[in-house]
Amino acid sequence: AMMLRVSRRFANNVSMNFNYTWSKVMDLVDNDSDTIINPFDMRQNWGPAGYDQTNVITVDFVYSLPKVPGSWDTPVLRTILNGWEVSGMIRSQSGQPFSVTSNGSLMGVDAGSQYPDVVGDPYEGRNKHRWINPAAFRRPLDGQYGNFQRNALRLPGVRNVDANLMK
């Protein structure tokens, strides 16, 4: 992992922070209730953790508005107009990994789940209404394990903007 932070206070009542984090969390299972689907090939379960966020960028700022100038400087206007701040934060992070599973088991019954076989490009035809291509996967043949891996795909990234005006 790597973390970078740049912080700066400017002379004109502005302060800013820039934060960047790069990380990679890998594991076999995310918690105690997860299972290893193929005990004969545990590498198939080795992948990004479900909570992995590879890139996170955060920029925040605070701007103290100027005080009431010269002829406007009366006790009433000073009370109303002085002491205001505008602040905000912008955060962008990569999407979290997820797995695609297929119903079925090695016994030939529709019980349990396993990883599917990949037969095409999972991201082909992607748009805002369909993130992955369902035709890129098929159920493995009975008695066989699928060739896909755990958490091999990523959800869309998240971007958030917050703003604040306060006294």
Side-chain angles (χ1 to χ4, degrees):
M2 176 188 73
M3 294 181 356
L4 171 71
R5 180 179 179 127
V6 178
S7 199
R8 176 72 195 242
R9 287 182 180 243
F10 296 96
N12 56 355
N13 299 330
V14 175
S15 63
M16 293 185 77
N17 293 307
F18 170 83
N19 299 289
Y20 173 73
T21 303
W22 175 84
S23 65
K24 186 82 167 180
V25 181
M26 306 283 285
D27 61 10
L28 287 171
V29 293
D30 287 334
N31 56 51
D32 291 342
S33 63
D34 285 351
T35 59
I36 294 176
I37 292 178
N38 183 352
F40 302 108
D41 183 10
M42 292 186 46
R43 290 175 298 166
Q44 190 176 24
N45 255 56
W46 180 255
Y51 49 86
D52 177 51
Q53 293 178 335
T54 307
N55 296 291
V56 179
I57 297 172
T58 306
V59 177
D60 61 82
F61 68 92
V62 177
Y63 173 60
S64 297
L65 295 172
K67 297 192 181 333
V68 175
S71 63
W72 288 65
D73 193 4
T74 65
V76 173
L77 287 178
R78 206 178 309 135
T79 303
I80 295 170
L81 300 177
N82 284 354
W84 287 91
E85 282 185 349
V86 177
S87 60
M89 182 177 78
I90 301 166
R91 180 180 171 102
S92 179
Q93 62 193 42
S94 56
Q96 293 180 297
F98 71 98
S99 296
V100 174
T101 58
S102 174
N103 66 334
S105 72
L106 298 176
M107 314 307 174
V109 296
D110 284 334
S113 66
Q114 63 173 317
Y115 300 122
D117 284 328
V118 179
V119 294
D121 180 4
Y123 292 117
E124 181 182 331
R126 176 172 57 179
N127 60 44
K128 66 180 183 178
H129 302 294
R130 190 180 80 178
W131 187 248
I132 62 169
N133 175 15
F137 307 98
R138 76 165 181 230
R139 181 180 170 191
L141 299 174
D142 288 340
Q144 294 181 359
Y145 290 103
N147 63 11
F148 202 53
Q149 288 188 298
R150 176 181 153 270
N151 289 344
L153 300 175
R154 293 241 174 214
L155 294 169
V158 177
R159 283 134 193 91
N160 188 30
V161 177
D162 292 317
N164 185 26
L165 173 65
M166 67 179 203
K167 181 170 176 147

